[in-house]
């Protein structure tokens, strides 16, 4: 970890589908978790550092709903808001920023056309651009997960033969200012973050790294920071009231992690 002590951010993630927050396991079997604006206000009151909205069906859905949710949230909550899902162009980024987003996440479109990363960074600055990396372990010939990590697209539904560590490094070089690193294998399992994945990406990039996927208990967050994460993100444990933001920050402080 870097010698300079920078406060670790705690981020609440809201997976939004048709204007509602949903949550599942490995991005499947989604269930309703509430109104995004009301949840955003709750987490703001709890002291969350940032919010992330991911439009989980944006590839095929109507974007107008997302713009409306972003605008309504930005009008009521005054903490950084990252929005991702279905972003395909510089114009999409422009519209989301005008709607109230502070940062915008890209995944599928950037893998299809990596130049998009540089185009967005050149126009708006690297600080606006978050690479949303949905990563899975490669499945070997024996059907078991291996130590290799590959990318997925379309909300984690489509595996891509693209080395995830190399892709994160390339995206950072192209201008991504932050990486939202989501373990699709750990997502929704509540078994803890994929520490090996975090450490390997941390060794390959210098930009801020957000650990996502697998948070299930207060004790899971400090190991993610120790592995190299600059921020820790959770969804279902917050949505269903099992943990509060304050409990996560207290657990981090207890392990010597500086938080806001």
């Amino acid at each position: 970890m870097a010698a300079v002590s920078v406060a670790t951010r705690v981020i609440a993630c809201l997976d939004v589908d048709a204007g509602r927050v949903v949550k599942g396991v490995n991005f499947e079997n989604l269930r309703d978790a509430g109104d995004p604006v009301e949840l955003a206000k709750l987490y703001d009151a709890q002291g969350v550092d940032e919010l992330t909205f991911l439009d989980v069906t944006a590839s095929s859905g109507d974007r107008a709903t997302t713009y409306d949710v972003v605008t309504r949230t930005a009008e009521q909550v005054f903490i950084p808001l990252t929005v991702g899902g279905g972003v395909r162009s510089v114009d999409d980024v422009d519209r989301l920023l005008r709607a109230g987003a502070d940062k915008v996440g890209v995944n599928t479109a950037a893998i299809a056309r990596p130049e998009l990363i540089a185009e967005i960074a050149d126009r708006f600055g690297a600080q606006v651009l978050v690479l949303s990396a949905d990563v899975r372990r490669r499945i070997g010939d024996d059907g078991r997960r291996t130590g290799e990590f590959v990318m997925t697209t379309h909300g984690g539904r489509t595996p891509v033969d693209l080395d995830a560590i190399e892709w994160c490094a390339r995206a950072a070089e192209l201008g991504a200012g932050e990486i939202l690193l989501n373990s699709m294998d750990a997502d929704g399992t509540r078994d803890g973050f994929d520490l090996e994945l975090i450490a390997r990406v941390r060794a390959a990039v210098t930009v801020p790294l957000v650990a996502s996927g697998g948070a299930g208990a207060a004790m899971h967050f400090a190991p993610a920071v120790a592995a190299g994460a600059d921020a820790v993100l959770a969804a279902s444990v917050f949505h269903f009231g099992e943990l509060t933001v304050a409990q996560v920050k207290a657990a981090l402080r207890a392990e010597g992690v500086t938080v806001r």
Side-chain angles (χ1 to χ4, degrees):
M1 295 178 64
V4 178
S5 179
V6 178
T8 297
R9 291 168 288 147
V10 176
I11 301 172
C13 182
L14 295 90
D15 295 326
V16 180
D17 179 14
R20 299 288 292 178
V21 176
V22 296
K23 194 59 197 168
V25 178
N26 307 130
F27 276 42
E28 296 178 352
N29 301 316
L30 301 178
R31 58 177 171 150
D32 189 280
D35 176 72
V37 180
E38 292 305 312
L39 283 172
K41 288 165 63 178
L42 172 65
Y43 301 143
D44 186 25
Q46 286 185 7
V48 79
D49 298 308
E50 294 186 18
L51 290 167
T52 294
F53 278 8
L54 296 179
D55 187 338
V56 295
T57 54
S59 298
S60 57
D62 179 8
R63 297 289 302 171
T65 303
T66 300
Y67 292 118
D68 175 62
V69 168
V70 171
T71 298
R72 289 191 294 121
T73 302
E75 287 171 351
Q76 303 216 23
V77 176
F78 303 101
I79 53 177
L81 176 60
T82 298
V83 182
V87 176
R88 300 179 181 88
S89 68
V90 169
D91 288 341
D92 287 341
V93 175
D94 187 57
R95 284 189 66 188
L96 283 168
L97 294 176
R98 291 176 187 276
D102 297 284
K103 295 184 278 188
V104 176
V106 295
N107 177 22
T108 301
I111 288 176
R113 196 173 68 83
E115 298 80 15
L116 177 63
I117 296 173
E119 291 168 7
I120 295 171
D122 288 346
R123 178 159 170 190
F124 303 106
Q127 77 285 349
V128 162
L129 181 55
V130 178
L131 180 76
S132 185
D134 293 337
V135 180
R136 286 192 188 277
R137 289 176 181 264
R138 190 188 296 276
I139 303 299
D141 294 336
D142 59 0
R144 297 181 180 180
R145 293 172 183 165
T146 69
E148 295 180 57
F149 296 98
V150 293
M151 293 300 304
T152 67
T153 60
H154 300 88
R157 292 182 288 275
T158 308
V160 181
D161 189 20
L162 176 64
D163 183 276
I165 315 301
E166 293 175 3
W167 171 239
C168 287
R170 185 181 177 198
E173 290 173 0
L174 286 168
E178 183 171 271
I179 294 173
L180 171 55
L181 185 63
N182 187 36
S183 168
M184 300 304 299
D185 299 313
D187 176 74
T189 64
R190 308 191 189 194
D191 292 332
F193 296 93
D194 189 326
L195 303 180
E196 180 188 356
L197 173 61
I198 295 167
R200 288 186 59 185
V201 175
R202 172 79 288 157
V205 304
T206 57
V207 298
L209 191 58
V210 181
S212 170
M219 65 181 182
H220 288 154
F221 293 88
V225 177
D230 300 281
V232 286
L233 177 150
S236 54
V237 289
F238 290 151
H239 302 339
F240 300 117
E242 286 137 33
L243 283 176
T244 65
V245 174
Q247 287 171 326
V248 171
K249 288 192 173 185
L252 287 166
R253 286 193 194 97
E255 294 298 322
V257 177
T258 302
V259 295
R260 296 179 181 178

